[in-house]
Amino acid sequence: MEMVTPVLARDLAALGRVSEETSSESVLRGLTATLAGDVPGCAGGSAELWREERMVVSASHSELIVLVDSEGDLGEGPSSEARATGRHVIVQDVLRESRWPGYVGMAVRCGVRSVLAMPITVERAVLVLGLYGVRPGVFAARSVPPLADMLAEQVTVALANMWDYDEVRTDAAQMQEALAGRAIIDQAKGIIMKSSGCSAEAAFDELRRVSQHHQVKVADLARLLVDEHQRNREGKAG
């Protein structure tokens, strides 16, 4: 049975669209749901995204989260082997599997009879996808390469788009913070200039000298000065 279908191609491509709500977790949730719904013979999917030894896990069903977690605890299983070797791992029937006895017991308790684990390298991360069948022999070895190629292409695009969007959002937030800090520093400079009759340059030098002495950021010191000035004005007005 061919595992690559037009519906799968369409739904995978949709994962590459990003928005304000897009995150690693949302991409992985969409991916596991797509695998479970669109790949013939696949009843559930899991995804483990490894970046610098930190893992984000998602699955189409809660039982598969338990299975992935137990595999991590055991240190053995198809996903662990796929990640370690960089190769696809197929289990045609877990009841006939002898490599990982601890994993087999947990898989059977979760209702899993066949497994396909596929590692995908994305930039500095590794994504291990797990496909699970409730019947044995649902993943034919000859159908794995075209499925793996499509997943690698579409998942790489989806995650790269999401990470690029995150970077843009971070840059925008940092710029906004910098502009806000500059505005508050200008207010603080104005207060110092008015009280001491000094120049703008001298006022900034004074702010910087005090911030270094107390080991606080210039913007934080400026905010304290402006807040105190505002309270004093309100106290006099009252």
Side-chain angles (χ1 to χ4, degrees):
M1 183 183 297
E2 296 298 330
M3 290 188 281
V4 174
T5 66
V7 173
L8 175 63
R10 180 201 66 198
D11 291 346
L12 286 175
L15 294 175
R17 305 188 190 111
V18 297
S19 67
E20 287 290 339
E21 291 75 32
T22 304
S23 65
S24 296
E25 290 81 2
S26 69
V27 171
L28 297 186
R29 281 196 304 270
L31 178 56
T32 57
T34 297
L35 294 176
D38 295 351
V39 177
C42 180
S46 68
E48 306 166 46
L49 181 62
W50 293 84
R51 298 184 79 188
E52 299 176 352
E53 299 305 314
R54 292 182 299 172
M55 179 176 63
V56 178
V57 181
S58 184
S60 58
H61 299 77
S62 58
E63 296 88 345
L64 297 180
I65 291 285
V66 173
L67 182 57
V68 170
D69 287 343
S70 68
E71 184 173 350
D73 294 337
L74 291 167
E76 65 174 25
S79 293
S80 298
E81 180 160 325
R83 179 175 174 240
T85 64
R87 295 193 295 270
H88 311 314
V89 177
I90 302 177
V91 179
Q92 295 292 359
D93 189 349
V94 296
L95 294 181
R96 299 177 180 275
E97 180 57 59
S98 59
R99 287 174 289 182
W100 319 293
Y103 174 84
V104 166
M106 181 59 70
V108 171
R109 284 193 289 276
C110 292
V112 171
R113 286 293 300 273
S114 51
V115 183
L116 168 59
M118 295 185 292
I120 298 173
T121 300
V122 186
E123 293 187 7
R124 295 179 299 278
V126 175
L127 178 68
V128 181
L129 298 178
L131 286 73
Y132 305 88
V134 296
R135 294 179 291 104
V138 297
F139 303 120
R142 63 178 177 78
S143 300
V144 171
L147 175 64
D149 289 344
M150 174 181 284
L151 286 170
E153 179 180 355
Q154 297 295 345
V155 169
T156 297
V157 170
L159 290 175
N161 286 351
M162 185 268 297
W163 288 331
D164 287 346
Y165 191 62
D166 272 351
E167 187 174 335
V168 170
R169 282 189 294 195
T170 299
D171 289 346
Q174 289 175 342
M175 181 176 294
Q176 187 173 11
E177 183 180 354
L179 291 173
R182 180 173 178 178
I184 203 75
I185 289 172
D186 286 342
Q187 290 183 54
K189 283 163 55 179
I191 294 170
I192 295 173
M193 291 164 63
K194 185 175 180 179
S195 64
S196 65
C198 67
S199 65
E201 183 178 355
F204 182 74
D205 287 342
E206 179 63 12
L207 269 176
R208 187 166 52 187
R209 182 189 67 79
V210 175
S211 73
Q212 290 173 348
H213 178 74
H214 292 282
Q215 295 184 339
V216 296
K217 294 180 180 178
V218 172
D220 293 340
L221 177 63
R223 190 169 289 105
L224 289 172
L225 178 59
V226 170
D227 289 346
E228 182 180 0
H229 181 72
Q230 185 65 30
R231 286 195 299 270
N232 290 339
R233 289 182 59 185
E234 291 173 352
K236 290 178 182 179

